[in-house]
Amino acid sequence: SDHSSPHSPSNGSSRTLSAREMYLFDTGGQYLDGTTDITRTVHWGEPTPLQKEAYTRVLMGNIDLSRLVFPSSTAGGTVESFARRALWDVGLNYGHGTGHGIGNFLSVHEWPVGFQSNNVPLEAGMFTSIEPGYYRDGEFGIRIEDVALVVEAQTEEEPFLTFEVLSLVPYDRNLIDLSLLSPEQIRYLNSYYEKIRARVGPELQRQRLQEEYAWLQESTQP
């Protein structure tokens, strides 16, 4: 769904959810201290081999761009293909942009930050989404979207940049084919899951949300 036009279900267009298919949730909210735009794709049943591989390759692209270290003032379009490479390797692709600027209690899609050729160079302090995907018409859609902050990287030669992912939502373990991931990608996932546990876990316990806390622990196992 598009945040600018909230979707309201109707009896004519609604249909029943089942555990036999994939679901893509594009979620977001406006808060006084920031804006969220997070997409997760899940499958509650038995995904097909293609669904699992496509999801894993979308995740690999999300990880590869998120952990990239690059020179300051690099154009987003220069590094955009890191989000696509794992899909390109097997002849897959997606037909939308890889990310957009995100305002502070303002626009969800905020110009001029992003990864297209007409976006401004990336600088520390910018917020962007990172959102590779894959879609098969009439069958299923996959998108994994996180909000990331451009930050200075710890490198010998300053100043280089990287991303700090701010969205703290686990990915669907049911759809990840671990055999496709590199050791670096697995290390990244594990440190991301540790961060989710450390930041979200105590808040769920404070609110006495025991079922949610148990889900979080299970979903962020190494």
Side-chain angles (χ1 to χ4, degrees):
S1 74
D2 182 353
H3 296 270
S4 60
S5 53
H7 174 70
S8 299
S10 68
N11 288 335
S13 65
S14 301
R15 65 186 184 87
T16 309
L17 300 182
S18 90
R20 294 190 301 277
E21 54 196 328
M22 290 179 111
Y23 292 97
L24 188 159
F25 300 90
D26 188 343
T27 74
Q30 296 276 25
Y31 304 93
L32 291 175
D33 55 355
T35 298
T36 66
D37 191 6
I38 306 171
T39 304
R40 289 292 182 266
T41 306
V42 301
H43 196 305
W44 294 304
E46 193 61 50
T48 67
L50 172 66
Q51 288 174 335
K52 200 164 179 175
E53 177 171 1
Y55 178 92
T56 303
R57 290 185 180 277
V58 171
L59 178 61
M60 289 160 72
N62 179 297
I63 292 172
D64 288 347
L65 184 52
S66 297
R67 59 184 289 270
L68 188 68
V69 175
F70 53 93
S72 188
S73 294
T74 296
T78 304
V79 298
E80 196 259 5
S81 56
F82 280 86
R84 298 180 186 266
R85 192 179 73 172
L87 288 163
W88 284 356
D89 279 344
V90 291
L92 304 180
N93 204 4
Y94 54 92
H96 58 72
T98 295
H100 54 79
I102 295 175
N104 179 8
F105 195 57
L106 202 68
S107 300
V108 180
H109 292 205
E110 185 168 276
W111 190 256
V113 177
F115 297 98
Q116 289 167 284
S117 56
N118 54 357
N119 288 129
V120 296
L122 295 164
E123 295 288 359
M126 291 177 173
F127 288 86
T128 182
S129 68
I130 293 177
E131 50 179 302
Y134 177 69
Y135 312 88
R136 280 180 91 91
D137 279 357
E139 290 185 48
F140 63 86
I142 300 164
R143 188 161 70 247
I144 302 174
E145 175 186 26
D146 290 309
V147 176
L149 171 65
V150 182
V151 296
E152 287 198 356
Q154 304 305 308
T155 50
E156 302 293 321
E157 296 291 322
E158 294 294 338
F160 269 56
L161 300 173
T162 188
F163 296 104
E164 179 189 348
V165 172
L166 304 178
S167 309
L168 300 174
V169 184
Y171 306 116
D172 186 6
R173 305 175 87 82
N174 191 27
L175 282 164
I176 299 174
D177 180 352
L178 277 181
S179 70
L180 293 175
L181 299 184
S182 68
E184 294 81 14
Q185 289 166 336
I186 290 173
R187 267 201 300 278
Y188 173 92
L189 262 185
N190 283 335
S191 65
Y192 177 60
Y193 282 171
E194 281 172 22
K195 184 162 95 171
I196 294 176
R197 276 189 175 185
R199 299 204 185 160
V200 182
E203 178 62 23
L204 293 178
Q205 288 183 304
R206 190 185 68 78
Q207 295 188 30
R208 296 191 171 84
L209 296 169
Q210 292 313 324
E211 191 181 337
E212 290 82 352
Y213 180 76
W215 175 86
L216 187 82
Q217 293 300 105
E218 189 182 336
S219 301
T220 53
Q221 285 173 25

